[in-house]
């Protein structure tokens, strides 16, 4: 009952905003701000049926591949930086530099290197996730209590088993928090990369609708992106609780997506 009450309270503001927007748009008759009915009709026509397989699935496939590559590579690189002091000393300053540079600013370089297409999109998505996860993985491993390491040594646990049984679980909250942030960034980069000359994808359809003054379709694209962002975050929260719950660990913000 408390859970249902909490959901209802969370819906009050969004529903109120939608009702207010519908009342205002119906009276204003502004072509830039179509009514919810017009947006819903374009949503069904654009994203349901053939549009889903032609545009939504390719976007999600590129997002999945790029995000997975970035997270796996970031964890592997973070383990090396966190556990090998020589590498940390050599590469530390260089690793922190890309964090200050937005991934979308590197789109021209990725276009030159890979051309316009899915390879470029996967590459820039992976880049956007890689450094966030790498830096936080390295920081998480360095912050592990020395007692945990001493326990592993006293029980004669080898370095590899110690990494997977003790160190990574101890650093998991920080790694998972970075992965969640990287997911939001990856969705943003996915959309922007599709707006730069891609023939298919959610971003390509949305920006084309704006250029052709089809504002209801443009708004339908933004609604789809909002729904995808919400669903991806909710799915990540479920996976986060299932994974960290096995170790009895609660990541920072784990309850935010519940």
């Amino acid at each position: 009952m408390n859970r249902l009450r909490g959901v209802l309270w969370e819906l009050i503001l969004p529903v109120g905003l939608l009702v207010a927007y519908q009342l205002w748009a119906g009276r204003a008759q502004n072509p830039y701000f179509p009514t919810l009915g017009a947006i819903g009709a374009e949503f069904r026509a654009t994203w349901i049926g053939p549009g889903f397989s032609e545009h939504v699935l390719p976007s999600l496939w590129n997002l999945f591949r790029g995000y997975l590559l970035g997270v796996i590579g970031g964890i592997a690189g973070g383990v090396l930086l966190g556990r090998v002091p020589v590498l940390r000393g050599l590469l530390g300053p260089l690793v922190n530099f890309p964090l200050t540079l937005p991934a979308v600013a590197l789109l021209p370089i990725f276009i030159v290197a890979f051309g316009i297409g899915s390879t470029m999109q996967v590459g820039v998505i992976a880049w956007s996730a890689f450094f966030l996860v790498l830096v936080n993985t390295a920081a998480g491993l360095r912050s592990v209590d020395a007692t945990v390491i001493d326990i592993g040594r006293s029980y004669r646990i080898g370095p590899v088993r110690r990494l997977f049984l003790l160190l990574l679980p101890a650093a998991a909250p920080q790694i998972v928090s970075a992965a969640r942030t990287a997911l939001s960034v990856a969705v943003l980069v996915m959309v922007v990369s599709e707006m730069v000359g891609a023939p298919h994808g959610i971003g390509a359809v949305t920006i084309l609708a704006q250029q052709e003054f089809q504002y209801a379709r443009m708004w339908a694209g933004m609604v789809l992106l909002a729904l995808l962002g919400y669903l991806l975050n909710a799915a990540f929260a479920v996976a986060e609780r299932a994974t960290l719950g096995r170790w009895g660990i609660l990541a920072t913000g784990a309850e935010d997506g519940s």
Side-chain angles (χ1 to χ4, degrees):
M1 188 64 182
N2 291 333
R3 177 75 174 180
L4 178 61
R5 188 181 295 113
V7 172
L8 291 177
W9 273 107
E10 291 177 359
L11 291 176
I12 288 178
L13 180 59
V15 171
L17 290 175
L18 289 176
V19 171
Y21 174 84
Q22 174 65 19
L23 293 175
W24 175 81
R27 295 182 60 184
Q29 297 295 317
N30 190 324
Y32 300 111
F33 299 95
T35 62
L36 295 181
I39 296 174
E42 281 292 340
F43 189 97
R44 290 191 299 271
T46 306
W47 305 120
I48 305 299
F52 183 83
S53 58
E54 185 178 356
H55 299 292
V56 179
L57 285 182
S59 294
L60 293 178
W61 178 234
N62 290 335
L63 173 66
F64 174 78
R65 290 186 292 166
Y67 177 73
L68 193 62
L69 286 173
V71 170
I72 292 176
I75 293 175
V79 168
L80 292 176
L81 288 182
R83 302 305 300 164
V84 183
V86 174
L87 286 178
R88 185 164 63 248
L90 290 174
L91 302 178
L94 294 177
V95 166
N96 289 321
F97 173 73
L99 289 177
T100 64
L101 188 64
V104 293
L106 300 176
L107 274 174
I109 297 177
F110 279 89
I111 292 175
V112 170
F114 301 107
I116 294 176
S118 61
T119 302
M120 178 271 293
Q121 295 163 17
V122 171
V124 73
I125 291 170
W127 175 278
S128 68
F130 174 77
F131 286 99
L132 276 171
V133 178
L134 182 145
V135 169
N136 282 275
T137 300
L141 289 174
R142 292 200 307 272
S143 64
V144 173
D145 194 333
T147 305
V148 175
I149 301 175
D150 293 337
I151 290 175
R153 289 172 178 168
S154 64
Y155 280 95
R156 300 183 183 276
I157 300 176
V160 175
R161 293 187 63 203
R162 191 187 313 153
L163 173 66
F164 287 98
L165 295 178
L166 297 177
L167 299 180
L168 284 178
Q174 196 160 343
I175 297 173
V176 171
S177 296
R180 170 175 282 188
T181 303
L183 179 60
S184 300
V185 175
V187 173
L188 170 65
V189 173
M190 175 199 74
V191 175
V192 176
S193 66
E194 290 176 345
M195 290 181 174
V196 187
H200 304 288
I202 302 171
V205 173
T206 302
I207 192 64
L208 182 62
Q210 183 268 328
Q211 294 169 351
E212 294 179 347
F213 308 104
Q214 297 177 354
Y215 295 110
R217 183 176 300 175
M218 179 193 74
W219 279 94
M222 291 189 286
V223 169
L224 176 63
L225 289 172
L227 291 175
L228 286 177
Y230 177 83
L231 293 175
L232 288 173
N233 186 68
F236 190 98
V238 172
E240 179 182 5
R241 287 194 297 269
T243 302
L244 297 182
R246 295 180 180 179
W247 297 326
I249 301 171
L250 181 62
T252 301
E255 297 180 348
D256 294 344
S258 58

